[in-house]
Amino acid sequence: MIEDLQHTTPRHKLIANLAPTGFVYGDKERIGQVIANLVTNAIKYSPQADKIIIHTESEKNEVTFSVQDFGIGIAKINQDRVFEQFYRVGGDLQRTFPGLGLGLYISSEIIKREGGRIWVTSTEGQGSTFCFALPVKNNMPTS
């Protein structure tokens, strides 16, 4: 999937730091939709950057997936709102980066329905890291 997304951006190098994580059972298509949304948002909101780091890790019976960009970032006051339906950053940035304000909301709903959690850490002007975590399935299916 990361290789496919790399073809969408000649400017950015998608750097995959993927650690062994165990098994996560869920809707492959919907989780893929979340991954694609986070990576394409990172590309969109970091037009001057040349890399995006995609990282996985396993800790405390969950797998964490993160996408770090080096773009415009999000003001601390707005970070809790980015997963709300139709929420968009106001002001000049709204015209610079068009959209409906649904991608992160839909991603959040998908991750919640899969039993996970989603969040962002960001510094305005320096970039953002969007993460989601899903529970690890300890037992392999028998058939």
Side-chain angles (χ1 to χ4, degrees):
M1 181 172 204
I2 293 170
E3 289 174 20
D4 290 342
L5 289 166
Q6 180 64 70
H7 294 296
T8 68
T9 177
R11 179 170 190 56
H12 302 85
K13 170 79 173 139
L14 302 183
I15 300 167
N17 294 328
L18 308 177
T21 57
F23 293 93
V24 173
Y25 293 94
D27 187 328
K28 180 180 175 181
E29 297 299 318
R30 296 291 70 83
I31 295 169
Q33 180 182 350
V34 174
I35 292 169
N37 184 55
L38 296 183
V39 173
T40 56
N41 275 1
I43 292 166
K44 177 179 177 180
Y45 290 102
S46 59
Q48 302 306 316
D50 61 356
K51 68 181 175 182
I52 292 165
I53 300 171
I54 301 161
H55 179 79
T56 60
E57 68 181 3
S58 182
E59 186 177 317
K60 296 182 183 174
N61 294 322
E62 66 181 9
V63 171
T64 302
F65 179 91
S66 62
V67 177
Q68 179 183 11
D69 70 51
F70 301 90
I72 63 169
I74 303 164
K76 190 140 189 86
I77 194 168
N78 295 327
Q79 290 177 24
D80 289 338
R81 300 197 60 208
V82 296
F83 298 104
E84 293 176 9
Q85 190 174 15
F86 302 117
Y87 180 76
R88 303 222 20 248
V89 175
D92 291 338
L93 293 179
Q94 192 169 18
R95 287 183 292 282
T96 304
F97 301 102
L100 298 175
L102 290 173
L104 290 174
Y105 169 74
I106 292 168
S107 294
S108 174
E109 291 299 305
I110 290 168
I111 295 303
K112 287 177 194 173
R113 288 187 181 142
E114 294 292 339
R117 56 196 179 92
I118 189 168
W119 67 96
V120 62
T121 57
S122 186
T123 302
E124 198 169 10
Q126 295 181 21
S128 302
T129 302
F130 281 84
C131 307
F132 68 85
L134 295 170
V136 172
K137 177 77 171 177
N138 291 324
N139 298 324
M140 290 291 296
T142 56
S143 57

